[in-house]
Amino acid sequence: MPASASDGVKSVTRVFDLLELIADAGGDVTLSELSASAELPLPTIHRLLRTLVSLGYARQLANRRYALGPRLVRLGEAANRKFGRIAMPQLKDLVERLGETSNLATIDGDRVIYVSQAPSPHAMRMFTEVGRRSYLHSTGVGKAILAQMSDDAVRDIISRTGMPRDTEHSLGTIDALLADLALTRERGYAIDDGEQEIGVRCYAMAVPDMPTLTAVSVSGPVARVDEGFAERAIPVLREVVAEISALSSAT
């Protein structure tokens, strides 16, 4: 590869590394924080950031911190829509086999975003608008995603977002959340038992080997989504997340 081409690839890699670092930090950082994390010379980071700012992929805030830019939103939304369409057959298969609403969600900064949904045929069903962003600690998909992280990474997120309680059943302390995530890792799936909406129970499972932390859930009224439902749902969820993971690798 010619030297100029090699330099170009290196610059692209550095740009995406910076964007990932900003995202991992919660969406905004100082120049010195980036310098410490990126292990790049300060002039190089400053030059790359100036380019990103001029293109709209980053922005400089009034307090001189750097944040992700608005043009990334359009790219992310387009990617989520495409991914959601690809996984739709698997979500519909979940609904056909279990009779309840299924969702696909990914991490989006410090929140979870729903990117695709296949609705239950029942008149009384769970409905979450595609594109909705929710707190990670109070949703099944969010907890399935958090369970893939270290406890320190979870603490960092919670330090930024806090733990608002949607219902009286929502987890309200970091210790309670970490204990719940330990149980989630042990059994291989997360449960939202009325934590986001009273009367609704959700079972969620992480999709392995994804470039972005992702989870699939199946949810419905507690009258139908009971322990017997869980016994049927968990093996089906395992099949579906494996299929989506393989599908993502193939594309």
Side-chain angles (χ1 to χ4, degrees), residues 79 82-90 104 207 209-211 243-251:
K82 176 65 174 177
F83 181 42
R85 287 195 296 269
I86 290 173
M88 184 56 76
Q90 283 69 36
L104 178 75
V207 182
D209 304 319
M210 298 292 287
E243 290 173 6
I244 293 175
S245 177
L247 198 61
S248 175
S249 300
T251 55

Side-chain angles (χ1 to χ4, degrees), residues 229-247:
F229 177 88
E231 291 177 4
R232 294 186 292 114
I234 300 310
V236 178
L237 269 173
R238 288 198 183 99
E239 290 178 29
V240 167
V241 298
E243 290 173 6
I244 293 175
S245 177
L247 198 61

Side-chain angles (χ1 to χ4, degrees), residues 15-246:
V15 162
F16 281 106
D17 284 345
L18 289 180
L19 292 173
E20 291 282 354
L21 286 170
I22 296 172
D24 291 343
D28 66 87
V29 293
T30 64
L31 197 59
S32 59
E33 287 169 345
L34 275 179
S35 179
S37 301
E39 299 181 352
L40 290 172
L42 200 60
T44 300
I45 294 174
H46 195 249
R47 174 176 55 82
L48 293 173
L49 283 173
R50 282 203 314 268
T51 301
L52 287 169
V53 169
S54 69
L55 295 173
Y57 294 109
R59 56 197 174 98
Q60 189 172 22
L61 305 177
N63 59 5
R64 302 189 65 79
R65 296 175 71 86
Y66 286 90
L68 298 176
R71 292 194 70 180
L72 290 172
V73 174
R74 182 175 64 86
L75 295 180
E77 289 176 346
N80 281 338
R81 285 195 300 270
K82 176 65 174 177
F83 181 42
R85 287 195 296 269
I86 290 173
M88 184 56 76
Q90 283 69 36
L91 297 184
K92 288 182 176 178
D93 182 50
L94 261 181
V95 175
E96 289 175 7
R97 296 169 71 179
L98 298 174
E100 302 298 341
T101 296
S102 63
N103 285 290
L104 178 75
T106 66
I107 193 167
D108 180 36
D110 287 340
R111 303 289 181 91
V112 63
I113 184 169
Y114 292 86
V115 299
S116 191
Q117 181 182 91
S120 164
H122 294 287
M124 182 181 293
R125 62 193 180 195
M126 181 63 180
F127 176 77
T128 301
E129 184 179 359
V130 171
R132 177 184 175 187
R133 297 171 76 248
S134 299
Y135 287 98
L136 288 157
H137 71 278
S138 60
T139 59
V141 284
K143 291 195 289 183
I145 286 172
L146 286 176
Q148 299 177 74
M149 304 180 188
S150 68
D151 284 356
D152 285 343
V154 174
R155 287 190 183 94
D156 285 344
I157 289 175
I158 297 303
S159 71
R160 293 189 292 266
T161 65
M163 295 184 67
R165 302 184 70 192
D166 292 321
T167 77
E168 61 187 25
H169 301 298
S170 302
L171 300 177
T173 68
I174 185 64
D175 288 341
L177 175 60
L178 292 177
D180 190 285
L181 296 180
L183 183 56
T184 295
R185 295 182 191 109
E186 179 181 335
R187 67 191 172 204
Y189 59 91
I191 303 175
D192 163 10
D193 198 355
E195 294 162 52
Q196 188 179 30
E197 186 174 340
I198 293 291
V200 173
R201 185 174 289 129
C202 167
Y203 294 92
M205 194 172 292
V207 182
D209 304 319
M210 298 292 287
T212 301
L213 296 177
T214 302
V216 171
S217 69
V218 59
S219 57
V222 293
R224 296 196 303 260
V225 181
D226 53 14
E227 290 185 8
F229 177 88
E231 291 177 4
R232 294 186 292 114
I234 300 310
V236 178
L237 269 173
R238 288 198 183 99
E239 290 178 29
V240 167
V241 298
E243 290 173 6
I244 293 175
S245 177

